Amino acid sequence: MPTSQPQPSAPVALRASYRLQFHKDFPFAEGAALAPYLARLGISHVYTSPILTARRGSLHGYDVIAYDAVNPELGGEEAFRAMAAALRRHEIGIVLDIVPNHVAVGGDDNAMWLDLLRLGPASRYAGWFDVDFDSADPVLKGKVHAPFLGEPLQAVLAQGGLALEKGQGETGYALRYGDNLFPIRPEDQAGIDGQGQDAFRDPAALRALLARQNFVLDHWRNAGDRINWRRFFDVTQLGAVRMDEPAAFAAAHAIPLRLYEEGLIDGLRIDHIDGLADPARYCRELRLELDARQPRRPEDAAPGRALLLVEKILAAGEELPDWDVDGTTGYDFMNEVSALQHLEAAAQPLARSWAGISGRSPSFADEEVAARREILEHGFDGQREWLVAALAELAAAERPDATITRAALRRGLTDVLVHLRVYRSYVTGEKDEAALEPALDKALAAALAQPYADRQALTLLREMLAGPVSAASAGLRSGLIRRFHQLSAPLAAKAVEDTAFYRYGRLLSRNDVGFDPAEFAMSPGEFHERMRRRAADWPRALLATATHDHKRGEDLRARLAVISEMPQEWDEAVREWRGLNQALRPQALAAGDEYMLYQTLLGAWPLELDPGDGAGLRMLAERVGGWWRKALREAKLHSGWAMPDEDYEAQAQGFLEALLDPARSEAFLASLYRLQNRIAPAGALNGIVQMALKCTLPGAPDIYQGTEFWDFSLVDPDNRRPVDYAARETALAEDAPLAELCRSWRDGRVKQRLLRDLLQLRRQEPALFAAGRYEPVTVTGEGTGNILAFLRRHQGRAVLVCAVIHAETGMCDADAIAPQPEWWADTQLVRPAGLRDLQPVIGAALGEGDILVGTALGSCPVGVWRGAC
């Protein structure tokens, strides 16, 4: 790795990115064909899903099986180069998504994993995978736990489920179990040749052979308790890789770094940065590698320092550390703009409605604590025991007189992990840290505040994490802290986003990746302050409103946000629907599940769907049914992935199908349709506004594939459906007048048109959007709470933006997506000092003096003007 950093240059100019999900049915050739369309739209960079060789048929690319080749299912490196060239001809670069923290394991296709199973600690990859070969479990000592069996080993042997086969090359003999391959160690190869394969059809002979191997086969249900290697979250098919191992780092980054040096890509997006042992060190090392290659890039490559963006979930109040990166991939912005579009006054009424009907807690914090405890107990007990052992070893070395039991240490660690509100802290253990980071300190304080708190154990934990330790114990402490972080991050992901988010249903528009459901809304003042900080600290970070991981599409969330403007009407509607559907409702169906179903139907209802359209309703039932099955299993209350309750799921699906059957639910469908029709224009207003804000606020807008039209998608795989690009290209080419598009807003063309116009503005004012200050603009009059206005200013140039918020009461025309001019009465913007020569990008021409909102906006809920200052 480079030891010194070249003088940093200005960053690559990222005007707007467009995320494309590549897979065998959407290969690189499809991406190349989109180049003219994306250029007309105003995109500067395609932001690709991972491209290295992945598991066969992968629809996302995050299950990498080899670092040494571009995925042949996508067209291989030749097709990638052709796509890069096609994009470059239209002045579009590439930001590449890479997966440093895990690879796909199990199966029979990952040579690194198979080598580890074959050779155990002697494998060249033993240091790449985070395996505890010194496990306290005597059966696993020096071996790799392999919990890939569908039944206990004894049953598999009795049924003849393991077959000995001879492969090609150095692997030699291996045991086959379905799609899984378990290579036999070299020492046993000759013996098998001598005895013949048939000799191992006998279960006793096969068991004796297994006992000598470098792996231990086990039932998959035992993974959480026994596993001695680190997984990605709790997914046994994804094994964590140690990027602190130089050879692993070099292998994982060889192709991305080469593509950057050759000018084929302009930057990298790092998947799940919190899964790495030391994110700060990793980012700085990767930055050094990129900077070292920048001078060797071709002359026609995009100038500037490589883009380096990290996928990072930031908790409330948490800031991205200084890792020499350009910012996050935008989940934090997605949360902020969503919170802006919710009214705080509805938080308590909606919580009471949810609790009163569902019988569950009105507080998200209660759901989070319970989920953290359950998931830690049932999904990560093995990792927790590693952590307890590390803490006990360090405590024995540093506090030999302490009389604290392992059970007390386990309880103390559990309580801290349960109350931690971030994915991880950044305590390193490399030096004595007199004070813990605020998030970890708060978790310890919350644990100490519990009536059952073990104060001795918690005090000892604090000392071991941040107090002075001897030089001899420095390695023990670093190991303890690394293990702590590598448990806290997956625990947060699985317990909060993949469990509590599916249990808490106050308003589902506030339950999405990177969101904090406990933070229901954000005032314009707080939003302004965050945008000021963003302009100062992270002007190149991505601004996302939809991703391949979102739980609900950006316009579905925007529609549901309108409920926060009418909580009483929502409560009345839900109670009416429960009454109408009483005869259809299965007795076992939980009220909370029904409550969330109604929100989902309201949010996902297609704009063109009539309540009497049986075929359209069946299609909606299929989509919502896929979401509901996943939601029920993720919630783990009435079903689950480990133990699916197929009877409960079938009853739920039957209820959904009955609700969407016009012959059985005419009254319910009519009522649902009336409410959807009422809030749809305000929801479209919110959708237009959030898109416009991400194009004009500090940062770079990121557009997820297809969301230039309305996005009412649900969780994957619904959010990864094929995109109709022919319709989008046709709409863009038509170039209809904006007023006409605002009247025909239901077809989605207005969203695409405004996106194009705003990206064109970014092209015309690159310096202003890259480095411009952010200044709130004062609003006066009756509609003060219904406008967010701000100015971007840089070197004599300015852009003024005025966006409508919380205007459901002004939406009296079903064909309009903005309140009528008279609704605004005396609402006006106070013209910022020195602002002159304003020309409309979106909105009406303006005179001098203060700006009347009703006159300025017209038929669009956003106004944008460029001028001088």
Side-chain angles (χ1 to χ4, degrees), residues 337 341 554-555 558-559 561-562 565 607 678-693 710 712 742 745 750-751 754 786-787 802-813 816-820 823-824 857-862:
V337 75
Q341 295 186 325
E554 59 184 44
D555 298 304
R559 183 188 289 175
V562 179
E565 301 178 52
L607 288 165
R678 175 182 166 183
I679 70 171
L685 178 154
N686 283 344
I688 290 293
V689 165
Q690 71 177 350
M691 184 274 293
L693 289 177
W710 299 124
F712 298 110
C742 286
W745 61 268
V750 64
K751 187 181 178 187
L754 290 172
N786 304 109
I787 288 290
C802 173
V804 180
I805 57 175
H806 310 148
E808 189 277 330
T809 58
M811 305 299 289
C812 56
D813 182 350
I817 52 171
Q820 296 300 309
W823 186 78
W824 292 106
L857 289 183
S859 59
C860 187
V862 175

Side-chain angles (χ1 to χ4, degrees), residues 46-66:
V46 162
Y47 162 28
T48 75
S49 55
I51 66 167
L52 296 185
T53 304
R55 191 141 274 172
R56 288 184 295 274
S58 175
L59 295 177
H60 48 75
Y62 290 98
D63 43 1
V64 173
I65 58 170

Side-chain angles (χ1 to χ4, degrees), residues 582-847:
Q582 185 173 355
L584 301 175
R585 181 187 308 113
Q587 186 174 359
L589 185 67
D593 291 338
E594 183 180 2
Y595 193 99
M596 288 189 272
L597 173 63
Y598 292 144
Q599 291 186 59
T600 301
L601 288 172
L602 183 65
W605 189 280
L607 288 165
E608 71 279 4
L609 180 60
D610 183 88
D613 180 357
L617 289 170
R618 285 191 292 275
M619 291 178 60
L620 179 61
E622 181 178 353
R623 289 181 52 224
V624 174
W627 159 80
W628 208 13
R629 175 177 174 271
K630 182 169 185 173
L632 293 173
R633 293 188 177 188
E634 295 285 19
K636 307 168 190 70
L637 293 172
H638 305 288
S639 190
W641 296 108
M643 294 282 289
D645 187 333
E646 295 182 357
D647 181 60
Y648 186 88
E649 292 177 2
Q651 290 186 57
Q653 181 65 27
F655 179 61
L656 168 62
E657 292 172 358
L659 293 185
L660 296 181
D661 182 349
R664 304 177 66 187
S665 299
E666 182 179 6
F668 164 71
L669 287 170
S671 178
L672 176 66
Y673 185 65
R674 280 194 302 272
L675 184 59
Q676 187 277 143
N677 260 352
R678 175 182 166 183
I679 70 171
L685 178 154
N686 283 344
I688 290 293
V689 165
Q690 71 177 350
M691 184 274 293
L693 289 177
K694 79 174 177 181
C695 289
T696 53
L697 288 166
D702 176 49
I703 294 86
Y704 181 65
Q705 58 181 31
T707 60
E708 60 268 38
F709 277 12
W710 299 124
D711 173 24
F712 298 110
S713 62
L714 296 162
V715 73
D716 66 275
D718 193 62
N719 61 8
R720 300 174 189 176
R721 288 177 294 159
V723 176
D724 184 353
Y725 280 111
R728 285 158 175 78
E729 293 189 44
T730 298
L732 192 63
E734 288 172 350
D735 202 25
L738 181 59
E740 175 187 322
L741 295 177
C742 286
R743 297 298 292 179
S744 61
W745 61 268
R746 285 178 175 81
D747 61 21
R749 293 180 299 157
V750 64
K751 187 181 178 187
Q752 181 195 53
R753 166 63 178 276
L754 290 172
L755 175 64
R756 186 205 68 177
D757 289 353
L758 292 172
L759 295 187
Q760 177 66 21
L761 175 63
R762 292 181 69 92
R763 188 197 302 269
Q764 294 165 348
E765 301 281 358
L768 183 146
F769 283 104
R773 296 200 309 272
Y774 177 91
E775 301 175 11
V777 171
T778 300
V779 184
T780 64
E782 292 184 22
T784 300
N786 304 109
I787 288 290
L788 182 89
F790 58 90
L791 188 72
R792 302 296 307 280
R793 188 197 299 261
H794 183 69
Q795 296 180 346
R797 299 297 300 159
V799 167
L800 175 67
V801 179
C802 173
V804 180
I805 57 175
H806 310 148
E808 189 277 330
T809 58
M811 305 299 289
C812 56
D813 182 350
D815 292 327
I817 52 171
Q820 296 300 309
E822 57 270 18
W823 186 78
W824 292 106
D826 62 345
T827 307
Q828 60 183 357
L829 311 185
V830 177
R831 183 184 290 262
L835 185 61
R836 64 186 189 280
D837 302 331
L838 288 175
Q839 300 299 316
V841 178
I842 302 167
L846 303 177

